[in-house]
Amino acid sequence: MSDAKTLAEAVPPADDLPKGGEAVRTAGWGRMWERSQTLLPTLVALVLLFAMLVYAEAAYGRVFHAGTISSLLVSFAPTIILAVGMTILILTAGIDLSVGAVVAFSSVAGVMLMNIGVNGWIGIVLMILFGALFGLVAGVMVQYFSVQPFIATLAMMFLARGLASILSTTPVVAPADSPLLLLATDWKIVDGPKVNDFTVTPGLLIAVLVVIAAVFFLHRTRMGRTVYGIGGNEASAQLMGLPVARTRVWIYIVSGALAGLAGVVYTAEVGGKAQNVTGLGWELDAIAAVVIGGTLLTGGVGYVLGSVIGVFVIAALRLIITKDGTINPEYLTIITGAVLLAFVLLQRVLTSRSRR
Amino acid sequence: MSRVKAALRTPWFWAIAGIVLLLAVNTVKDPAYLAIGVNPTTGLLTGNLLDILRVAAPIIMIALGMTFVIATEGIDLSVGSMMAVGGAVAMQTLSTLREPDSVGAMLAAIGLAVLLAIVLGVLNGVLVAVVGLQPFISTLIMMLAGRGIARVITGGQNTNATNEPFRQLANGQLLGIPTSFVLAIVIVVLIALLMRRTALGLMIESIGINPRASRLAGIRPRPLLIAVYALSAALAAVGGLFSVSEVMTVSVSGTGNLMEMDAILAVVIGGTSLAGGKFSILGSTVGALLIATLNKTVLFLGVPAAATPAFKALVIIALVLLQSERIRSLAFGGRTTPRIPSGPPSPSAGQGVPVTKEAVG
């Protein structure tokens, strides 16, 4: 697979350019074409999303319905948070396979701490810190000991899942007065007729804030530019004097912390119940969302907002499968796998064309 | 003295030391741990050592397949799901055929299971070798879809079946040793002969060292890669057969769950570098035995089975750190080649690989 690297080298990090109109003008048509190409998978995902929603509305009804949409958004808030962290990592050609297990560990550990009398707010902060700690270890292994990212994070996945199981193999429930539960309060934004209300929760608001912060981080900060630089061509990023080592360790910490935060939001959503089997397969959902959203697995090209669209595609897929009684739920993972494969192949076609 | 030193440098020497250590811990807890008795009703030998061998059989199978995949600088994350697919096909076939004790039904079940696994393995191989996807992505997709395929085959049920010859795979004994372990060792020996008595093993290693150079040397990497992924899937299905024959039930979510980690771990313990380019079949087999011993020990010490991943993770972390150049140069002084100062390798890139590896090619 050595030609994958040359491929990454061949695709310039599109977002190294400032976004202003002047830059686009000077870059000329070639650049414009390249930019639109990096956007193409995201656009395909967006079209697919609308096609799925329209199909679902026509076939089953009650899809473009404030109640349905808002409950879908709320239930996918943890996935959105995970997908943001995963996007930043995949942009550097890294990966984090431990996020699902970290969600399990931090929620079990946090809820148990709250049960032995730790202040709820401190408990929430600790949940995020636990996640960050797993990210730190993975990041150090990747950066300073040259461990392949997927091996390092696979080890973290085992460790987190195992530690969660050592803590408890039965569900633990947060105390009823825990501030954790406040995160799942329903805020009615639009009071529709009957049950057609648009409601959001503080958990969803957190996910939205995370997305906004990530967009700002990637496109408006030096470290964000370094992220694209590492993924585009690490050697030249280093030669340019970008702080590669520091950035890489930090983004693994961020991904871990976001996994801890996803654990907080999810635990709140399910009424404070935490389990060692929570989050099985969530890393795959996050990776699928990132890939569907148009971020290249070889790094350097992609957008956080694309990944959010990717999460919505997966959410719409689940919606259709649950609304349609005839599709066996057994087919769910096969369909998700097939969609993921289709998008990876699309990426492959696009990148091989731009290489010529 | 130098021979002792050479033995100490062999990774599987440390694996054997690990097995001995774990057995010693168990024996301290229960002095009768190593005893082997006879079950009066069945006349079969019983004992913890035999249990370990039985548990080891499926792990040996998936580790063997993973060895060759890793030697090509790839990875196969779908082996656990492939075990579930193999088990599901076998159980579904046996329960549909309704011929409780016929050998024919058993052979049909085994044949179908291996056949379907080979088809899926070829798909993995094509995605890696022809389409050019990163191995861990294509096999990750297969890991996701494979469990779905197992669910579809059994209709979402944990199908069970009765077939005495099939049940004997794991529960029978040959000369006092579990049949599945004997079969696993026979398969290991056959494949080792195939790899080492022909140039096949060498060609696989050459792909792992440098695919472009081996193509120039007249080796065709594509068919070879597809064959390697197909072999890994087929062996994983056999491992799945061993593990379902023990209980005659396939658990679509439990069979082979997280076993891809066991396979990777066994291979790395056995001294095969994740960077590819060389493999040790004996090492992987010993590594698989160590993992089986570890699984049994953790259970025996009263730690919940769900906690074993934590112990395995610590072993993985220790091993990958030992493989890293930074630790090696700290431990052995200036003996090893310096790290190429271009940062850690991305999953697909060959940079950061010790220069010694290039010298082999």
Side-chain angles (χ1 to χ4, degrees), chain A residues 264-295:
Chain A
V264 171
V265 171
Y266 180 77
T267 311
E269 195 52 44
V270 294
K273 198 173 90 170
Q275 247 180 309
N276 66 325
V277 291
T278 302
L280 271 180
W282 285 13
E283 53 283 336
L284 288 171
D285 281 350
I287 295 168
V290 173
V291 171
I292 291 171
T295 300

PDB file of all heavy atoms in Angstrom, chain A residues 264-295:
ATOM      1  N   VAL A 264     -20.924  11.808  28.406  1.00  0.00           N
ATOM      2  CA  VAL A 264     -21.752  12.637  29.275  1.00  0.00           C
ATOM      3  C   VAL A 264     -23.136  12.841  28.648  1.00  0.00           C
ATOM      4  O   VAL A 264     -24.173  12.614  29.274  1.00  0.00           O
ATOM      5  CB  VAL A 264     -21.069  14.010  29.521  1.00  0.00           C
ATOM      6  CG1 VAL A 264     -22.012  14.959  30.247  1.00  0.00           C
ATOM      7  CG2 VAL A 264     -19.770  13.837  30.292  1.00  0.00           C
ATOM      8  N   VAL A 265     -23.136  13.256  27.370  1.00  0.00           N
ATOM      9  CA  VAL A 265     -24.397  13.568  26.696  1.00  0.00           C
ATOM     10  C   VAL A 265     -25.265  12.320  26.581  1.00  0.00           C
ATOM     11  O   VAL A 265     -26.467  12.350  26.839  1.00  0.00           O
ATOM     12  CB  VAL A 265     -24.112  14.178  25.300  1.00  0.00           C
ATOM     13  CG1 VAL A 265     -25.379  14.303  24.485  1.00  0.00           C
ATOM     14  CG2 VAL A 265     -23.440  15.529  25.459  1.00  0.00           C
ATOM     15  N   TYR A 266     -24.621  11.179  26.225  1.00  0.00           N
ATOM     16  CA  TYR A 266     -25.396   9.954  26.046  1.00  0.00           C
ATOM     17  C   TYR A 266     -25.978   9.480  27.380  1.00  0.00           C
ATOM     18  O   TYR A 266     -27.151   9.106  27.462  1.00  0.00           O
ATOM     19  CB  TYR A 266     -24.521   8.864  25.424  1.00  0.00           C
ATOM     20  CG  TYR A 266     -25.265   7.571  25.224  1.00  0.00           C
ATOM     21  CD1 TYR A 266     -26.163   7.417  24.175  1.00  0.00           C
ATOM     22  CD2 TYR A 266     -25.092   6.498  26.104  1.00  0.00           C
ATOM     23  CE1 TYR A 266     -26.867   6.250  23.998  1.00  0.00           C
ATOM     24  CE2 TYR A 266     -25.799   5.320  25.937  1.00  0.00           C
ATOM     25  CZ  TYR A 266     -26.680   5.199  24.881  1.00  0.00           C
ATOM     26  OH  TYR A 266     -27.387   4.045  24.715  1.00  0.00           O
ATOM     27  N   THR A 267     -25.136   9.505  28.416  1.00  0.00           N
ATOM     28  CA  THR A 267     -25.601   9.037  29.724  1.00  0.00           C
ATOM     29  C   THR A 267     -26.776   9.877  30.203  1.00  0.00           C
ATOM     30  O   THR A 267     -27.756   9.358  30.746  1.00  0.00           O
ATOM     31  CB  THR A 267     -24.453   9.108  30.750  1.00  0.00           C
ATOM     32  OG1 THR A 267     -23.309   8.503  30.173  1.00  0.00           O
ATOM     33  CG2 THR A 267     -24.802   8.382  32.025  1.00  0.00           C
ATOM     34  N   ALA A 268     -26.693  11.203  29.968  1.00  0.00           N
ATOM     35  CA  ALA A 268     -27.806  12.071  30.340  1.00  0.00           C
ATOM     36  C   ALA A 268     -29.057  11.676  29.567  1.00  0.00           C
ATOM     37  O   ALA A 268     -30.144  11.566  30.131  1.00  0.00           O
ATOM     38  CB  ALA A 268     -27.439  13.520  30.042  1.00  0.00           C
ATOM     39  N   GLU A 269     -28.887  11.420  28.273  1.00  0.00           N
ATOM     40  CA  GLU A 269     -30.011  11.114  27.395  1.00  0.00           C
ATOM     41  C   GLU A 269     -30.751   9.844  27.824  1.00  0.00           C
ATOM     42  O   GLU A 269     -31.961   9.746  27.709  1.00  0.00           O
ATOM     43  CB  GLU A 269     -29.474  10.979  25.965  1.00  0.00           C
ATOM     44  CG  GLU A 269     -30.516  11.006  24.872  1.00  0.00           C
ATOM     45  CD  GLU A 269     -31.441  12.201  24.969  1.00  0.00           C
ATOM     46  OE1 GLU A 269     -30.940  13.315  25.205  1.00  0.00           O
ATOM     47  OE2 GLU A 269     -32.665  12.007  24.839  1.00  0.00           O
ATOM     48  N   VAL A 270     -29.999   8.848  28.333  1.00  0.00           N
ATOM     49  CA  VAL A 270     -30.649   7.591  28.722  1.00  0.00           C
ATOM     50  C   VAL A 270     -31.001   7.587  30.209  1.00  0.00           C
ATOM     51  O   VAL A 270     -31.147   6.529  30.811  1.00  0.00           O
ATOM     52  CB  VAL A 270     -29.779   6.359  28.364  1.00  0.00           C
ATOM     53  CG1 VAL A 270     -29.645   6.221  26.872  1.00  0.00           C
ATOM     54  CG2 VAL A 270     -28.417   6.432  29.033  1.00  0.00           C
ATOM     55  N   GLY A 271     -31.099   8.762  30.807  1.00  0.00           N
ATOM     56  CA  GLY A 271     -31.565   8.851  32.181  1.00  0.00           C
ATOM     57  C   GLY A 271     -30.518   8.506  33.224  1.00  0.00           C
ATOM     58  O   GLY A 271     -30.851   8.023  34.305  1.00  0.00           O
ATOM     59  N   GLY A 272     -29.240   8.723  32.898  1.00  0.00           N
ATOM     60  CA  GLY A 272     -28.191   8.519  33.902  1.00  0.00           C
ATOM     61  C   GLY A 272     -27.736   7.081  34.031  1.00  0.00           C
ATOM     62  O   GLY A 272     -27.008   6.740  34.962  1.00  0.00           O
ATOM     63  N   LYS A 273     -28.143   6.229  33.100  1.00  0.00           N
ATOM     64  CA  LYS A 273     -27.736   4.823  33.185  1.00  0.00           C
ATOM     65  C   LYS A 273     -26.459   4.600  32.381  1.00  0.00           C
ATOM     66  O   LYS A 273     -26.394   4.971  31.212  1.00  0.00           O
ATOM     67  CB  LYS A 273     -28.856   3.919  32.656  1.00  0.00           C
ATOM     68  CG  LYS A 273     -28.705   2.476  33.091  1.00  0.00           C
ATOM     69  CD  LYS A 273     -29.915   1.654  32.698  1.00  0.00           C
ATOM     70  CE  LYS A 273     -29.728   1.047  31.320  1.00  0.00           C
ATOM     71  NZ  LYS A 273     -30.756   0.064  30.982  1.00  0.00           N
ATOM     72  N   ALA A 274     -25.441   4.012  33.024  1.00  0.00           N
ATOM     73  CA  ALA A 274     -24.183   3.744  32.339  1.00  0.00           C
ATOM     74  C   ALA A 274     -23.885   2.251  32.403  1.00  0.00           C
ATOM     75  O   ALA A 274     -24.157   1.601  33.406  1.00  0.00           O
ATOM     76  CB  ALA A 274     -23.043   4.530  32.986  1.00  0.00           C
ATOM     77  N   GLN A 275     -23.327   1.730  31.304  1.00  0.00           N
ATOM     78  CA  GLN A 275     -23.087   0.293  31.195  1.00  0.00           C
ATOM     79  C   GLN A 275     -21.752   0.026  30.539  1.00  0.00           C
ATOM     80  O   GLN A 275     -21.298   0.821  29.716  1.00  0.00           O
ATOM     81  CB  GLN A 275     -24.181  -0.318  30.308  1.00  0.00           C
ATOM     82  CG  GLN A 275     -25.125  -1.241  31.034  1.00  0.00           C
ATOM     83  CD  GLN A 275     -26.156  -1.782  30.079  1.00  0.00           C
ATOM     84  OE1 GLN A 275     -26.790  -1.026  29.354  1.00  0.00           O
ATOM     85  NE2 GLN A 275     -26.312  -3.087  30.068  1.00  0.00           N
ATOM     86  N   ASN A 276     -21.138  -1.108  30.881  1.00  0.00           N
ATOM     87  CA  ASN A 276     -19.834  -1.407  30.266  1.00  0.00           C
ATOM     88  C   ASN A 276     -19.956  -1.768  28.787  1.00  0.00           C
ATOM     89  O   ASN A 276     -18.969  -1.767  28.073  1.00  0.00           O
ATOM     90  CB  ASN A 276     -19.127  -2.527  31.034  1.00  0.00           C
ATOM     91  CG  ASN A 276     -19.870  -3.841  30.922  1.00  0.00           C
ATOM     92  OD1 ASN A 276     -21.098  -3.857  30.882  1.00  0.00           O
ATOM     93  ND2 ASN A 276     -19.140  -4.939  30.869  1.00  0.00           N
ATOM     94  N   VAL A 277     -21.176  -2.082  28.305  1.00  0.00           N
ATOM     95  CA  VAL A 277     -21.318  -2.437  26.885  1.00  0.00           C
ATOM     96  C   VAL A 277     -21.799  -1.254  26.037  1.00  0.00           C
ATOM     97  O   VAL A 277     -22.007  -1.394  24.841  1.00  0.00           O
ATOM     98  CB  VAL A 277     -22.282  -3.627  26.686  1.00  0.00           C
ATOM     99  CG1 VAL A 277     -21.672  -4.897  27.239  1.00  0.00           C
ATOM    100  CG2 VAL A 277     -23.624  -3.355  27.341  1.00  0.00           C
ATOM    101  N   THR A 278     -21.916  -0.062  26.663  1.00  0.00           N
ATOM    102  CA  THR A 278     -22.313   1.130  25.906  1.00  0.00           C
ATOM    103  C   THR A 278     -21.282   1.405  24.805  1.00  0.00           C
ATOM    104  O   THR A 278     -20.094   1.187  25.001  1.00  0.00           O
ATOM    105  CB  THR A 278     -22.374   2.347  26.844  1.00  0.00           C
ATOM    106  OG1 THR A 278     -23.284   2.052  27.883  1.00  0.00           O
ATOM    107  CG2 THR A 278     -22.832   3.582  26.110  1.00  0.00           C
ATOM    108  N   GLY A 279     -21.785   1.874  23.673  1.00  0.00           N
ATOM    109  CA  GLY A 279     -20.862   2.373  22.657  1.00  0.00           C
ATOM    110  C   GLY A 279     -20.214   1.303  21.810  1.00  0.00           C
ATOM    111  O   GLY A 279     -19.254   1.587  21.103  1.00  0.00           O
ATOM    112  N   LEU A 280     -20.727   0.064  21.841  1.00  0.00           N
ATOM    113  CA  LEU A 280     -20.169  -0.977  20.966  1.00  0.00           C
ATOM    114  C   LEU A 280     -20.386  -0.569  19.520  1.00  0.00           C
ATOM    115  O   LEU A 280     -21.512  -0.293  19.111  1.00  0.00           O
ATOM    116  CB  LEU A 280     -20.862  -2.316  21.229  1.00  0.00           C
ATOM    117  CG  LEU A 280     -20.284  -3.230  22.304  1.00  0.00           C
ATOM    118  CD1 LEU A 280     -21.108  -4.499  22.422  1.00  0.00           C
ATOM    119  CD2 LEU A 280     -18.836  -3.569  21.994  1.00  0.00           C
ATOM    120  N   GLY A 281     -19.318  -0.495  18.760  1.00  0.00           N
ATOM    121  CA  GLY A 281     -19.453  -0.192  17.339  1.00  0.00           C
ATOM    122  C   GLY A 281     -19.615   1.286  17.020  1.00  0.00           C
ATOM    123  O   GLY A 281     -19.781   1.639  15.861  1.00  0.00           O
ATOM    124  N   TRP A 282     -19.569   2.156  18.033  1.00  0.00           N
ATOM    125  CA  TRP A 282     -19.745   3.586  17.753  1.00  0.00           C
ATOM    126  C   TRP A 282     -18.590   4.151  16.951  1.00  0.00           C
ATOM    127  O   TRP A 282     -18.764   5.100  16.189  1.00  0.00           O
ATOM    128  CB  TRP A 282     -19.916   4.381  19.054  1.00  0.00           C
ATOM    129  CG  TRP A 282     -21.263   4.202  19.663  1.00  0.00           C
ATOM    130  CD1 TRP A 282     -22.186   3.249  19.322  1.00  0.00           C
ATOM    131  CD2 TRP A 282     -21.846   4.978  20.702  1.00  0.00           C
ATOM    132  NE1 TRP A 282     -23.306   3.389  20.103  1.00  0.00           N
ATOM    133  CE2 TRP A 282     -23.121   4.431  20.960  1.00  0.00           C
ATOM    134  CE3 TRP A 282     -21.406   6.073  21.442  1.00  0.00           C
ATOM    135  CZ2 TRP A 282     -23.970   4.958  21.924  1.00  0.00           C
ATOM    136  CZ3 TRP A 282     -22.236   6.597  22.405  1.00  0.00           C
ATOM    137  CH2 TRP A 282     -23.518   6.048  22.637  1.00  0.00           C
ATOM    138  N   GLU A 283     -17.392   3.581  17.148  1.00  0.00           N
ATOM    139  CA  GLU A 283     -16.252   4.082  16.384  1.00  0.00           C
ATOM    140  C   GLU A 283     -16.511   3.889  14.889  1.00  0.00           C
ATOM    141  O   GLU A 283     -16.134   4.717  14.078  1.00  0.00           O
ATOM    142  CB  GLU A 283     -14.944   3.431  16.817  1.00  0.00           C
ATOM    143  CG  GLU A 283     -14.890   1.915  16.833  1.00  0.00           C
ATOM    144  CD  GLU A 283     -15.604   1.300  18.029  1.00  0.00           C
ATOM    145  OE1 GLU A 283     -15.754   1.983  19.054  1.00  0.00           O
ATOM    146  OE2 GLU A 283     -16.028   0.139  17.937  1.00  0.00           O
ATOM    147  N   LEU A 284     -17.206   2.774  14.566  1.00  0.00           N
ATOM    148  CA  LEU A 284     -17.502   2.529  13.144  1.00  0.00           C
ATOM    149  C   LEU A 284     -18.497   3.551  12.619  1.00  0.00           C
ATOM    150  O   LEU A 284     -18.359   4.037  11.494  1.00  0.00           O
ATOM    151  CB  LEU A 284     -18.043   1.121  12.966  1.00  0.00           C
ATOM    152  CG  LEU A 284     -16.976   0.058  13.139  1.00  0.00           C
ATOM    153  CD1 LEU A 284     -17.591  -1.317  13.174  1.00  0.00           C
ATOM    154  CD2 LEU A 284     -15.972   0.155  12.018  1.00  0.00           C
ATOM    155  N   ASP A 285     -19.504   3.889  13.432  1.00  0.00           N
ATOM    156  CA  ASP A 285     -20.455   4.915  13.020  1.00  0.00           C
ATOM    157  C   ASP A 285     -19.733   6.233  12.760  1.00  0.00           C
ATOM    158  O   ASP A 285     -20.000   6.924  11.771  1.00  0.00           O
ATOM    159  CB  ASP A 285     -21.518   5.131  14.101  1.00  0.00           C
ATOM    160  CG  ASP A 285     -22.583   4.047  14.072  1.00  0.00           C
ATOM    161  OD1 ASP A 285     -22.578   3.261  13.104  1.00  0.00           O
ATOM    162  OD2 ASP A 285     -23.391   3.979  15.002  1.00  0.00           O
ATOM    163  N   ALA A 286     -18.814   6.568  13.690  1.00  0.00           N
ATOM    164  CA  ALA A 286     -18.102   7.842  13.539  1.00  0.00           C
ATOM    165  C   ALA A 286     -17.236   7.833  12.290  1.00  0.00           C
ATOM    166  O   ALA A 286     -17.241   8.798  11.516  1.00  0.00           O
ATOM    167  CB  ALA A 286     -17.251   8.115  14.780  1.00  0.00           C
ATOM    168  N   ILE A 287     -16.507   6.728  12.078  1.00  0.00           N
ATOM    169  CA  ILE A 287     -15.649   6.650  10.889  1.00  0.00           C
ATOM    170  C   ILE A 287     -16.516   6.721   9.631  1.00  0.00           C
ATOM    171  O   ILE A 287     -16.200   7.437   8.675  1.00  0.00           O
ATOM    172  CB  ILE A 287     -14.816   5.355  10.896  1.00  0.00           C
ATOM    173  CG1 ILE A 287     -13.835   5.359  12.070  1.00  0.00           C
ATOM    174  CG2 ILE A 287     -14.052   5.186   9.585  1.00  0.00           C
ATOM    175  CD1 ILE A 287     -13.176   4.027  12.321  1.00  0.00           C
ATOM    176  N   ALA A 288     -17.639   5.972   9.649  1.00  0.00           N
ATOM    177  CA  ALA A 288     -18.530   5.973   8.487  1.00  0.00           C
ATOM    178  C   ALA A 288     -19.011   7.383   8.203  1.00  0.00           C
ATOM    179  O   ALA A 288     -19.011   7.836   7.050  1.00  0.00           O
ATOM    180  CB  ALA A 288     -19.710   5.042   8.720  1.00  0.00           C
ATOM    181  N   ALA A 289     -19.402   8.130   9.256  1.00  0.00           N
ATOM    182  CA  ALA A 289     -19.895   9.486   9.061  1.00  0.00           C
ATOM    183  C   ALA A 289     -18.816  10.362   8.430  1.00  0.00           C
ATOM    184  O   ALA A 289     -19.094  11.134   7.501  1.00  0.00           O
ATOM    185  CB  ALA A 289     -20.338  10.078  10.402  1.00  0.00           C
ATOM    186  N   VAL A 290     -17.583  10.233   8.924  1.00  0.00           N
ATOM    187  CA  VAL A 290     -16.488  11.052   8.412  1.00  0.00           C
ATOM    188  C   VAL A 290     -16.232  10.740   6.942  1.00  0.00           C
ATOM    189  O   VAL A 290     -16.088  11.635   6.111  1.00  0.00           O
ATOM    190  CB  VAL A 290     -15.213  10.816   9.255  1.00  0.00           C
ATOM    191  CG1 VAL A 290     -14.028  11.523   8.631  1.00  0.00           C
ATOM    192  CG2 VAL A 290     -15.424  11.278  10.676  1.00  0.00           C
ATOM    193  N   VAL A 291     -16.214   9.434   6.620  1.00  0.00           N
ATOM    194  CA  VAL A 291     -15.922   9.029   5.241  1.00  0.00           C
ATOM    195  C   VAL A 291     -17.051   9.446   4.305  1.00  0.00           C
ATOM    196  O   VAL A 291     -16.816   9.993   3.231  1.00  0.00           O
ATOM    197  CB  VAL A 291     -15.692   7.505   5.184  1.00  0.00           C
ATOM    198  CG1 VAL A 291     -15.602   7.034   3.749  1.00  0.00           C
ATOM    199  CG2 VAL A 291     -14.424   7.153   5.927  1.00  0.00           C
ATOM    200  N   ILE A 292     -18.294   9.210   4.736  1.00  0.00           N
ATOM    201  CA  ILE A 292     -19.440   9.595   3.903  1.00  0.00           C
ATOM    202  C   ILE A 292     -19.417  11.104   3.680  1.00  0.00           C
ATOM    203  O   ILE A 292     -19.738  11.597   2.607  1.00  0.00           O
ATOM    204  CB  ILE A 292     -20.758   9.145   4.567  1.00  0.00           C
ATOM    205  CG1 ILE A 292     -20.860   7.617   4.535  1.00  0.00           C
ATOM    206  CG2 ILE A 292     -21.977   9.754   3.865  1.00  0.00           C
ATOM    207  CD1 ILE A 292     -22.000   7.049   5.350  1.00  0.00           C
ATOM    208  N   GLY A 293     -18.980  11.850   4.702  1.00  0.00           N
ATOM    209  CA  GLY A 293     -18.950  13.304   4.606  1.00  0.00           C
ATOM    210  C   GLY A 293     -17.847  13.844   3.725  1.00  0.00           C
ATOM    211  O   GLY A 293     -17.713  15.051   3.573  1.00  0.00           O
ATOM    212  N   GLY A 294     -17.017  12.968   3.175  1.00  0.00           N
ATOM    213  CA  GLY A 294     -16.052  13.419   2.188  1.00  0.00           C
ATOM    214  C   GLY A 294     -14.632  13.636   2.672  1.00  0.00           C
ATOM    215  O   GLY A 294     -13.795  14.128   1.930  1.00  0.00           O
ATOM    216  N   THR A 295     -14.339  13.276   3.927  1.00  0.00           N
ATOM    217  CA  THR A 295     -12.966  13.413   4.398  1.00  0.00           C
ATOM    218  C   THR A 295     -12.160  12.214   3.909  1.00  0.00           C
ATOM    219  O   THR A 295     -12.593  11.077   4.062  1.00  0.00           O
ATOM    220  CB  THR A 295     -12.929  13.492   5.934  1.00  0.00           C
ATOM    221  OG1 THR A 295     -13.697  14.618   6.339  1.00  0.00           O
ATOM    222  CG2 THR A 295     -11.518  13.645   6.445  1.00  0.00           C
TER     223      THR A 295
END
